[in-house]
Amino acid sequence: MTGAFTSYTRNHGGRVIMLFLLFLLALYQFSSIGFTGFAAVCMIPAVVIFLYLAFKHQNALFWYIFTMNYFVMGLQRYGYIPVPVTVVTILPQLLLLIAILIFPRNGKNNMGTPMLLGIILWTGYLVLQLFNQTCGLPISVGNWLANMNFYAFYFILTYILINKIVNTPKNIMRFLRLWAYFSIAAAFWAWRQKTFGWDNTEWGWLMGGGMRTHIIGGSIRYFSFFSDAATFGCNMGAVAAAFYIMALTTKLKKDKILFGIAGACSTFGFFASGTRSGLVCFMVGIFLYVFLAKSVKLTLTVLLAGGLFMFLLAGTNIGNGNMQIRRMRTAFDTNDASKNVRDMNKEALKKYLQDAPFGMGINVDEGSIPAFNKFKVVYETSNDSTYVFFWQRTGIVGVYVFAAMNIIILVGGCFITLFRLRSKSCKGIAAGLCCAFLAIQAGGYTNHILLQYPNIILFYGGMSIVYLLPAIEQDYIDDENNRYALHEEKKRLCLEKIEKMRVKPWYSWIYKYL
């Protein structure tokens, strides 16, 4: 095909140049004045090429989806995405799903799991929400479908795509390494904000309303390129726990180094975010690992270190000169003002929602609820957490179903970690992902962050990997042994080469520890 294309361009160079110029003009119109008819026509060839590549190179499309989910909020803030976010995130996932159905991939998968059962349970409840008329308003199928997109379909797509694409040892490691690199990049961006200040775009976003929640009582909360500081902090707290665990258990030293650096950078990230929930996420993840590791020595070490850490924050004033540490210290303050406001909001919602066990519904235009309707107050009351968000819209029954889905996913993953895996590295990956999942749930209980980018594809996708590991564990062990042997051979050859040198290079000592 490449030869045919080269031959065509050689004979019809003018046409190719003209099509390319028209495509650039279409992109310019698309970014400057919106989606016009001319832009649509000129972009047809690009769409055809994209479809061809999607069907031909499913792996590449998945990694595009994974990358875009991580950076999409930052790209949108800077104006690089002039279309709705779903166009560059959900739409490619649907396209990839269609490609997989038309051209099935070979390889092992583990589709029938408790995780799938939990997702089906939650999705089934949301399907019934179509008939919810609590607000007394006309049912809108369009609004229901739009909400189903993020409340349920995203979970299903993530589960299927992980099982069909990330079903090899190499792709699992690529998933984890990319996640580590992206986390380091997110922490670096927060460091840049903290060291050099916000740029013009970030200042514009803050002045547009973000300042109210990111500069509090002299405390500055940094958000990197995430949607907000809460999402950034909780993500970093959960990720730090996961990568520390994987750094302890992986066999290859270069992975130990990468995951250790990612954990350290993520620790800086949740402190820089000023989000107290980030600290809670980290602690929850680490304490779950104490249970999964089944090690008395580790248990005592973590309990002593954790107890000392909490004592320093709750019982002393050490580090009070740092505003991020002061902010974290308020996590132990039972009289904290923001916590009291959240409790008051929950009490108010309880009074209104006691007559709505199924919530306001997800099939209405929430913004058009009349002022005389009592559920207008429910809609306008700040939800502050993902669980309260679902309480408002799907009722107390919905909260229990959503919690049941997450408990099923977590318990099943912990069972696999404890009883179905034998490789230390596989156990470490599974334990790290389970700990990160519970950690982000703790963040979702205190902040509305579970449905924010990139959390679903990271943490629910991570749990999909846990359920996939038993089916490919032997393949993973073989691949890891091969990588380890290759690494050791390269190390031996490098050391032999260095030994033959008359003058040893200054960096030669590094090879002894790699």
Side-chain angles (χ1 to χ4, degrees), residues 242-316:
F243 283 129
Y244 282 138
I245 293 165
M246 284 186 261
L248 285 172
T249 56
T250 189
K251 191 173 182 179
L252 270 71
K253 289 185 179 179
K254 64 178 183 179
D255 286 337
K256 284 182 181 290
I257 294 170
L258 173 61
F259 295 151
I261 292 173
C265 290
S266 299
T267 302
F268 166 81
F270 75 73
F271 270 96
S273 74
T275 302
R276 296 161 296 183
S277 302
L279 174 61
V280 174
C281 291
F282 176 72
M283 293 170 63
V284 166
I286 293 298
F287 280 117
L288 176 60
Y289 184 61
V290 171
F291 168 73
L292 294 177
K294 297 188 293 185
S295 168
V296 176
K297 183 179 177 180
L298 179 66
T299 300
L300 291 175
T301 303
V302 170
L303 288 178
L304 287 173
L308 177 62
F309 181 70
M310 286 190 286
F311 171 74
L312 291 174
L313 278 180
T316 72

Side-chain angles (χ1 to χ4, degrees), residues 227-392:
S227 59
D228 57 84
T231 304
F232 174 58
C234 291
N235 182 286
M236 291 288 102
V239 165
F243 283 129
Y244 282 138
I245 293 165
M246 284 186 261
L248 285 172
T249 56
T250 189
K251 191 173 182 179
L252 270 71
K253 289 185 179 179
K254 64 178 183 179
D255 286 337
K256 284 182 181 290
I257 294 170
L258 173 61
F259 295 151
I261 292 173
C265 290
S266 299
T267 302
F268 166 81
F270 75 73
F271 270 96
S273 74
T275 302
R276 296 161 296 183
S277 302
L279 174 61
V280 174
C281 291
F282 176 72
M283 293 170 63
V284 166
I286 293 298
F287 280 117
L288 176 60
Y289 184 61
V290 171
F291 168 73
L292 294 177
K294 297 188 293 185
S295 168
V296 176
K297 183 179 177 180
L298 179 66
T299 300
L300 291 175
T301 303
V302 170
L303 288 178
L304 287 173
L308 177 62
F309 181 70
M310 286 190 286
F311 171 74
L312 291 174
L313 278 180
T316 72
N317 291 322
I318 296 174
N320 236 26
N322 183 287
M323 61 182 171
Q324 269 74 38
I325 293 178
R326 288 200 305 272
R327 177 75 179 166
M328 292 298 173
R329 190 159 272 142
T330 61
F332 301 95
D333 184 4
T334 55
N335 296 317
D336 181 66
S338 64
K339 178 180 180 298
N340 293 336
V341 169
R342 294 184 184 195
D343 291 340
M344 290 171 60
N345 286 340
K346 289 178 183 177
E347 287 300 318
L349 287 173
K350 188 182 294 185
K351 293 178 182 178
Y352 284 97
L353 289 171
Q354 63 184 357
D355 298 327
F358 303 107
M360 296 185 303
I362 62 172
N363 56 1
V364 296
D365 180 4
E366 297 167 346
S368 64
I369 297 176
F372 60 82
N373 191 314
K374 74 174 184 178
F375 292 104
K376 184 73 170 180
V377 177
V378 175
Y379 169 66
E380 292 177 343
T381 301
S382 177
N383 49 70
D384 294 320
S385 87
T386 303
Y387 281 85
V388 174
F389 176 84
F390 281 130
W391 183 26
Q392 289 171 305

Side-chain angles (χ1 to χ4, degrees), residues 83-104:
V83 294
V85 170
T86 52
V87 174
V88 295
T89 55
I90 302 294
L91 208 59
Q93 290 189 55
L94 289 172
L95 178 63
L96 181 55
L97 180 62
I98 294 170
I100 291 172
L101 291 174
I102 296 175
F103 301 106

Side-chain angles (χ1 to χ4, degrees), residues 90-304:
I90 302 294
L91 208 59
Q93 290 189 55
L94 289 172
L95 178 63
L96 181 55
L97 180 62
I98 294 170
I100 291 172
L101 291 174
I102 296 175
F103 301 106
R105 294 167 58 91
N106 296 324
K108 299 175 182 177
N109 61 73
N110 197 15
M111 293 292 292
T113 65
M115 183 171 182
L116 181 62
L117 174 65
I119 293 174
I120 290 173
L121 176 69
W122 171 239
T123 304
Y125 177 76
L126 292 183
V127 168
L128 296 177
Q129 278 283 323
L130 174 63
F131 308 102
N132 187 345
Q133 289 189 293
T134 298
C135 291
L137 299 175
I139 293 173
S140 170
V141 176
N143 284 319
W144 174 76
L145 281 173
N147 288 325
M148 284 288 287
N149 181 28
F150 278 104
Y151 300 173
F153 294 158
Y154 206 176
F155 295 107
I156 297 171
L157 284 171
T158 297
Y159 181 76
I160 293 174
L161 295 183
I162 291 292
N163 265 277
K164 293 297 184 180
I165 302 293
V166 192
N167 58 357
T168 65
K170 285 183 171 58
N171 276 347
I172 287 176
M173 291 310 300
R174 187 175 289 120
F175 183 98
L176 297 175
R177 286 170 185 156
L178 277 177
W179 190 354
Y181 290 133
F182 293 165
S183 298
I184 293 170
F188 169 78
W189 202 257
W191 173 84
R192 195 273 304 167
Q193 292 175 334
K194 184 177 174 62
T195 307
F196 302 105
W198 290 302
D199 59 29
N200 292 334
T201 301
E202 291 163 342
W203 266 116
W205 181 79
L206 287 167
M207 297 302 291
M211 189 173 291
R212 182 177 60 85
T213 54
H214 289 78
I215 301 179
I216 304 173
S219 176
I220 301 175
R221 304 173 67 205
Y222 299 98
F223 47 86
S224 187
F225 43 71
F226 280 59
S227 59
D228 57 84
T231 304
F232 174 58
C234 291
N235 182 286
M236 291 288 102
V239 165
F243 283 129
Y244 282 138
I245 293 165
M246 284 186 261
L248 285 172
T249 56
T250 189
K251 191 173 182 179
L252 270 71
K253 289 185 179 179
K254 64 178 183 179
D255 286 337
K256 284 182 181 290
I257 294 170
L258 173 61
F259 295 151
I261 292 173
C265 290
S266 299
T267 302
F268 166 81
F270 75 73
F271 270 96
S273 74
T275 302
R276 296 161 296 183
S277 302
L279 174 61
V280 174
C281 291
F282 176 72
M283 293 170 63
V284 166
I286 293 298
F287 280 117
L288 176 60
Y289 184 61
V290 171
F291 168 73
L292 294 177
K294 297 188 293 185
S295 168
V296 176
K297 183 179 177 180
L298 179 66
T299 300
L300 291 175
T301 303
V302 170
L303 288 178
L304 287 173

Side-chain angles (χ1 to χ4, degrees), residues 234-235 238 281 435-445 449-450 455 459:
C234 291
N235 182 286
C281 291
C435 293
F437 184 77
L438 180 61
I440 205 66
Q441 293 299 320
Y445 184 76
I449 54 96
L450 278 181
N455 288 336
F459 298 102

Side-chain angles (χ1 to χ4, degrees), residues 107-110 166-170 172-173 249 251 415-431 464-483:
K108 299 175 182 177
N109 61 73
N110 197 15
V166 192
N167 58 357
T168 65
K170 285 183 171 58
I172 287 176
M173 291 310 300
T249 56
K251 191 173 182 179
F415 179 84
I416 288 171
T417 305
L418 289 169
F419 303 112
R420 294 195 59 191
L421 298 173
R422 62 185 187 278
S423 162
K424 181 182 177 182
S425 297
C426 286
K427 280 179 175 286
I429 291 172
S464 301
I465 289 175
V466 175
Y467 282 91
L468 185 62
L469 279 173
I472 64 169
E473 183 179 20
Q474 187 56 52
D475 294 339
Y476 184 90
I477 293 171
D478 294 340
D479 181 73
E480 184 182 50
N481 289 335
N482 290 336
R483 286 186 289 123

